[in-house]
Amino acid sequence: MNGSTKKMSMMQLTVLVAVNMMGSGIIMLPANMAQVGAISLTSWAVTAVGSMAIAYGFAQAGLLSQRAGGMAAYAEEAYGKGGYFLTFFLYFLSLAIGNVAIAISAVGYLAAFFPSLSSTPMATCISVIGLIWLTTLANFGGPSVTGKIGSITVWGVIVPVAGLSIIGWFWFKGSTFAAAWNPQGLSFFKGMDSSIALTLWAFLGMESAAQNSDAVENPKRDVPMACMLGTLGAAVIYILSTTVIQGIVPNAELAKSTGPFALAYSQMFNPTVGAIIRALAILACLGSLLGWQFTIAQTAKTAAEGRMFPTFFAKTNKMTAPVIGMIVMGVVQSLMALSTASPSLGEQFAVLVNLAVVTNVIPYILALSALMIMMRKASVPQGTFRLNAFVVTVAMLYSTYAIYASGMEAVLGATIVMALTFAIYGFLAPRFSAPFAGEPLRG
């Protein structure tokens, strides 16, 4: 009895899911969406439905498989070790790409206080690389502080964004919103396509929701509901905040902004309030970046221990931090920052987001498609099988559409990455004697 009272309620898990998704992914989006116009808001509706379907699929997979490895472990059920590695490595790289995008968001907000940080493309690139290494070095002290910092700083984004969703309507002007609707004269579907990747970017992280299934009283009921409600809650805040800001800040100003939410609060109140919001956003980005740097290194460490990565990724210091892996990934992220350098922060952010989305949703499709064989193995009732199969099909179709909407450049980049992933796995495959799906892992 005493143990059960410490378990999370469905509402607590729902809030946790929403908070996990709402980190720093939202804070640059209004500026990027304004470059298309308010018509880009239509992509939220499609993304919200697709994201809820994806979240539901992962919740069901998490209930059927308690193995470590998350999406990669699900994919192995259907595609064997090759599927595990492909899913893990693409997702791993997408996290690294996403980290560079988060660093760009932080530089965008920092630039108001220190304009020289983004005065030229090279200055921007150096600033981004500097933040990557600052948060990498800060993780050398181990995991004890990293998680606590992230759980506090994330509210630096959530409070201003959620607050704008509620109070921003008092400053909303229909004429400002109407002028921002479709400045480029795009067709309805072109306007929607143009921002699918950006809106999906804000939902990335929902795949981690099922990892807390052992912390709730009734996981079979609470985990799917929390995944759906948490994703829906985040969707409502995303849609309201990005809609109301289009009616507060003129489109041309919003599209050029490197700190859209700070700009909105400056116009609603005064520059001092805007500066406070900007400072909160910077803290949130740094906290998020700190947490993700550790997560990437820890993910590589787990893979190395499973003989899927070079063994040096598994080596830790006295504080149990995988330092060598952190340094290697710091170099990789620095190279990504250099290779995607653009004349503006917004352009570089968009390039990275599109690439991160494509490298993220391919693992989504691999892991979700494996749910079919997982359900057969578990002999789930026919009604449950049909419902889950329908929802997962919606999720996979949406994921495929997101790849298409991300553009040719992102698809080309992800295809090259995927080809290299197979090339790498060719050298790893001899380590594993199980050439077909379903055979148990060997030490």
Side-chain angles (χ1 to χ4, degrees), residues 171 261-277:
W171 288 266
F261 284 98
L263 178 61
Y265 276 91
S266 293
Q267 297 201 5
M268 288 161 56
F269 298 103
N270 55 58
T272 301
V273 174
I276 293 170
I277 297 300

Side-chain angles (χ1 to χ4, degrees), residues 53-63 71 74 206-207 210 363-364 367-368:
I54 293 169
Y56 179 86
F58 284 131
Q60 294 300 319
L63 293 175
M71 287 193 295
Y74 307 155
M206 59 195 159
E207 69 282 345
Y364 281 5
L368 290 168

Side-chain angles (χ1 to χ4, degrees), residues 389-405:
F390 172 77
V391 175
V392 164
T393 299
V394 171
M396 290 189 291
L397 289 174
Y398 167 75
S399 298
T400 304
Y401 171 54
I403 293 172
Y404 161 77

Side-chain angles (χ1 to χ4, degrees), residues 106-166:
V107 168
Y109 276 75
L110 273 166
F113 299 119
F114 309 101
S116 60
L117 291 180
S118 63
S119 56
T120 66
M122 184 52 65
T124 299
C125 195
I126 291 171
S127 302
V128 169
I129 292 172
L131 284 183
I132 287 169
W133 282 103
L134 175 67
T135 50
T136 296
L137 294 173
N139 268 309
F140 284 9
S144 58
V145 180
T146 298
K148 293 177 183 176
I149 292 175
S151 64
I152 295 170
T153 58
V154 70
W155 293 99
V157 166
I158 293 174
V159 171
V161 173
L164 189 71
S165 304
I166 299 168

Side-chain angles (χ1 to χ4, degrees), residues 23 70 113 137 161 177-179 186 224 237 273 325 338 349 385 414 419 431 437 441:
F113 299 119
L137 294 173
V161 173
F177 184 82
L186 301 174
I237 292 174
V273 174
L338 282 169
F349 180 81
F385 185 95
R431 297 182 181 181
L441 290 170

